[in-house]
Each structure stands twice: as structure tokens, then as C-alpha cells.
Amino acid sequence: MKVSLYVLTMFLGVVLAVHLAMNGKVGAVMGNPRVANAVFWCIGAVTAIAIGLTGWRSGALGPLSQVSPVLLTGGALGACLVFAIAWLIPQVGAGPVMITLLAGQILGGLLMSHYGWLGSPVQPVTPMKLLGVAIMIAGVVIATFRK
């Protein structure tokens, strides 16, 4: 069953790459990546509300008072993240942005898992994992190198 979850995750990575490239293209066509990002987030907000309503039950927002306000800044962080990526794609290309973004995600994921941040199960960084990261970063350099 775990294999299917990894396949789904890989598919979502493809969807994310396409989504971010679409946002970048809209920003380039409009000549204003900030406005394009705002349009995308408005559409996303409406979609998120529609999805949320499908699981709505009485008292659904009750536990919100227990959530740290710092965690709620994740929405703003996401908007800034998508804007930055959408701005970068027309500057350097979807491939280099996605490859480098993936490297950052892997480094961030290793740190989160190593320290158990945000409820992640603790999985210590090992020399083998560090070797894998080094190889991946070398791959990023090779894959994004321009003559």
C-alpha cells in the first residue's frame, strides 16, 4: 500500500510543477506576476472553501483556538512561495527551478525529520543520507549548468 502513496506523491510533484509553471506563464502574459499570483490564490481560496465544505460538520472550527498563530502564517508563506516560484520560472526556466526547488525540499525534509519538527516522525540524518544529498546537489549543478 505504501507504494501507491509514493506513486501518488510523485504524481502530485508533477501537478505542482505544472501548476507553478502555469502561474508563471499567467504572470508573464499579464506582465505582472504579483497580480497573476493574487488571481491564482483567489481561485485557490474558493476551491479550498469548496473542498472544506465537503467535510464540514458542526463545531469544525472549534479546535482552531488550539492552533498556534505561528502555524497559521503558513497560508501567507504559501502565497509568497508560489509567487516567488512563479516569478522565477520565466527568469530561469521550469526545469532548473523545479530541480533546485526539489533539492531544497529534500534538505528541508531531512532537517524536519532529523529534529522531528512540526510533528514529523524522527528519522536521524545518517552518513548515507548525507551522501545522497551531496549526489543530488551535484546533480542539480549538472542539470542546471549553462555554458
Side-chain angles (χ1 to χ4, degrees):
M1 175 143 143
K2 261 190 169 177
V3 171
S4 63
L5 296 177
Y6 286 109
V7 170
L8 174 61
T9 303
M10 186 171 292
F11 171 74
L12 292 175
V14 172
V15 171
L16 178 62
V18 171
H19 162 78
L20 294 170
M22 290 167 71
N23 195 339
K25 182 64 175 177
V26 171
V29 169
M30 292 179 67
N32 191 335
R34 287 186 221 46
V35 172
N37 190 48
V39 169
F40 262 60
W41 278 90
C42 287
I43 294 167
V46 170
T47 304
I49 290 168
I51 292 169
L53 289 174
T54 64
W56 194 266
R57 63 188 185 286
S58 178
L61 293 178
L64 184 60
S65 65
Q66 299 170 15
V67 176
S68 166
V70 173
L71 292 176
L72 297 177
T73 64
L77 182 63
C80 293
L81 175 69
V82 171
F83 165 73
I85 295 166
W87 178 80
L88 281 166
I89 288 173
Q91 308 301 314
V92 297
V97 168
M98 293 304 152
I99 291 168
T100 308
L101 182 65
L102 179 60
Q105 287 176 300
I106 290 170
L107 288 172
L110 279 177
L111 280 172
M112 288 178 57
S113 290
H114 182 77
Y115 293 106
W117 292 340
L118 298 173
S120 176
V122 174
Q123 297 175 342
V125 173
T126 63
M128 187 62 78
K129 289 180 184 179
L130 290 175
L131 176 62
V133 168
I135 291 169
M136 189 197 61
I137 290 172
V140 168
V141 171
I142 292 167
T144 60
F145 180 76
R146 294 184 186 180
K147 292 183 183 181

